[in-house]
Amino acid sequence: MLRTKQHTILIDTGAGNDKERIWIPRLNRLKSPYLKRLKAAGVTPAMVDYVILTHLHVDHVGWNTQLVDGAWEPTFPNATYVFSKSEQKHYSDPENYTVNNRVKFIIYEDSVRPVVQAGQAEIIEPDGAEFLEGISLYPVPGHSIGQMAVCLTSGGEEALFGGDVMHHPIQVYRPEWNSVYCEDAPQARVSRRWALDYLADRHALFFSSHFAETSVGRVTRTGDHFVWQFC
């Protein structure tokens, strides 16, 4: 969660509750206290102005919606949900539906389409330009069709929320290594190298989605190699 002078912003929304995910048992029909934890941090669903989705995979969009009287409705009624045009184009095109990727379309149907139908989606082409004051969106495709990273600039400092451009700190040391979930392996390597250069050159904090411990740290450069340090 980000709070600026003007806006309350969520970056990705986790796995969500009550959703049929039989192919991932640990995420199937969850009953997590996500909204209670958000409230404990001082934010209710109605207070959220923007939900920025780095990409549309199962563990990043689940709380976009919640089950209300048997139907999926946007969890954050006043929010604009922001995601990339290439992701939307891919998932909304029935020609892309195949047996091999059918589960991704199930996720789209219960966690993304209701937001679009409610008129709460802002579908963009991330290009590194400032989207909101202090916030820029960069294209980092590869792990998914149109993944994007979120850069926050404040008080002369920078932070990068990278989605799944990296899944584990070992990829700082071996950026050529992909996870098994990367959809375009060569492009994922290109995007990962871009992120590492960005982080090292700008001394920016990195907020990951899947690193253990705090998931926050810095990348430094040693010769031709990178080094990771948790914060």
Side-chain angles (χ1 to χ4, degrees):
M1 179 182 68
L2 298 178
R3 301 191 79 170
T4 70
K5 292 179 181 179
Q6 296 83 19
H7 302 113
T8 298
I9 303 164
L10 297 181
I11 300 176
D12 293 340
T13 62
N17 276 3
D18 301 311
K19 301 202 167 165
E20 194 78 28
R21 304 289 186 250
I22 58 174
W23 61 91
I24 311 177
R26 68 183 182 277
L27 301 183
N28 191 45
R29 296 187 176 277
L30 283 178
K31 298 291 183 182
S32 73
Y34 177 87
L35 294 181
K36 290 183 179 179
R37 290 172 178 170
L38 198 62
K39 185 176 181 179
V43 175
T44 64
M47 295 168 63
V48 177
D49 300 301
Y50 286 91
V51 176
I52 301 178
L53 303 169
T54 60
H55 61 298
L56 304 184
H57 283 179
V58 60
D59 51 338
H60 293 259
V61 301
W63 272 106
N64 285 0
T65 60
Q66 59 183 337
L67 196 60
V68 178
D69 296 329
W72 297 109
E73 297 185 1
T75 304
F76 308 100
N78 302 316
T80 298
Y81 291 72
V82 183
F83 50 95
S84 77
K85 183 178 290 186
S86 53
E87 295 266 306
Q88 168 67 5
K89 182 179 179 181
H90 176 76
Y91 287 109
S92 61
D93 187 347
E95 290 189 4
N96 292 325
Y97 184 100
T98 68
V99 171
N100 290 333
N101 65 10
R102 66 187 183 278
V103 297
K104 295 193 297 183
F105 285 80
I106 294 171
I107 296 158
Y108 180 86
E109 288 299 320
D110 62 32
S111 298
V112 181
R113 189 182 295 280
V115 168
V116 176
Q117 292 176 332
Q120 290 182 234
E122 183 170 350
I123 302 166
I124 67 165
E125 292 278 14
D127 59 4
E130 191 172 63
F131 176 73
L132 298 170
E133 185 177 355
I135 294 176
S136 303
L137 306 177
Y138 289 87
V140 286
H143 171 70
S144 73
I145 298 295
Q147 181 176 235
M148 60 186 186
V150 182
C151 176
L152 170 66
T153 301
S154 177
E157 300 287 337
E158 291 190 37
L160 190 72
F161 298 79
D164 287 356
V165 71
M166 292 184 283
H167 278 79
H168 191 280
I170 192 64
Q171 292 174 293
V172 175
Y173 301 89
R174 298 299 298 268
E176 72 276 15
W177 287 5
N178 285 324
S179 79
V180 296
Y181 302 107
C182 289
E183 297 176 7
D184 183 335
Q187 183 59 56
R189 296 184 183 100
V190 171
S191 292
R192 189 173 306 112
R193 179 66 193 222
W194 174 88
L196 290 168
D197 284 332
Y198 185 103
L199 293 165
D201 293 344
R202 299 178 182 239
H203 196 56
L205 273 175
F206 181 63
F207 286 80
S208 72
S209 300
H210 294 286
F211 287 16
E213 298 183 31
T214 68
S215 292
V216 182
R218 295 189 189 273
V219 172
T220 56
R221 195 190 309 270
T222 302
D224 295 330
H225 304 283
F226 297 100
V227 176
W228 172 254
Q229 182 176 8
F230 282 108
C231 291

